[in-house]
Amino acid sequence: MTTEQVMEVMKEAMLVAFEMAGPLLILSIIVGLIVAVFQAATQIHEQTLTFVPKLIVIAVVLLATGSWMLNTFDGFVQRLFEIMASL
């Protein structure tokens, strides 16, 4: 396997990781900002107030996009096995 092929596989792995983690992280950041604004406005500084909404949003997003994530990861792993079989 050449260096270019290894770099291509690593590039694809990073893109798949960003593609799968992106929606979760973006929505978690948005919920965190909304809760932070609420906490600043009401001066309620409870730790669980930031954790629980993020947990609920992440669970809902995982339920909604879980099959898409699995298909994306499955396609990547199949390509990896095809590359390994051709060596």
Side-chain angles (χ1 to χ4, degrees):
M1 195 168 196
T2 66
T3 306
E4 291 82 20
Q5 289 173 327
V6 171
M7 292 305 292
E8 186 64 32
V9 169
M10 292 301 294
K11 176 184 159 189
E12 188 176 354
M14 292 298 289
L15 288 175
V16 167
F18 288 142
E19 187 177 342
M20 290 174 55
L24 295 172
L25 292 174
I26 290 170
L27 288 174
S28 179
I29 289 171
I30 291 170
V31 170
L33 286 172
I34 292 170
V35 170
V37 167
F38 175 75
Q39 283 182 328
T42 61
Q43 295 184 358
I44 299 173
H45 296 289
E46 181 65 33
Q47 293 295 324
T48 57
L49 189 61
T50 59
F51 180 73
V52 173
K54 286 182 189 179
L55 184 65
I56 292 170
V57 167
I58 288 174
V60 169
V61 171
L62 281 175
L63 286 173
T65 63
S67 62
W68 167 77
M69 287 182 177
L70 182 63
N71 289 334
T72 302
F73 190 68
D74 184 44
F76 173 69
V77 171
Q78 286 180 1
R79 283 189 298 277
L80 279 181
F81 279 114
E82 289 171 3
I83 291 169
M84 288 190 296
S86 68
L87 293 178

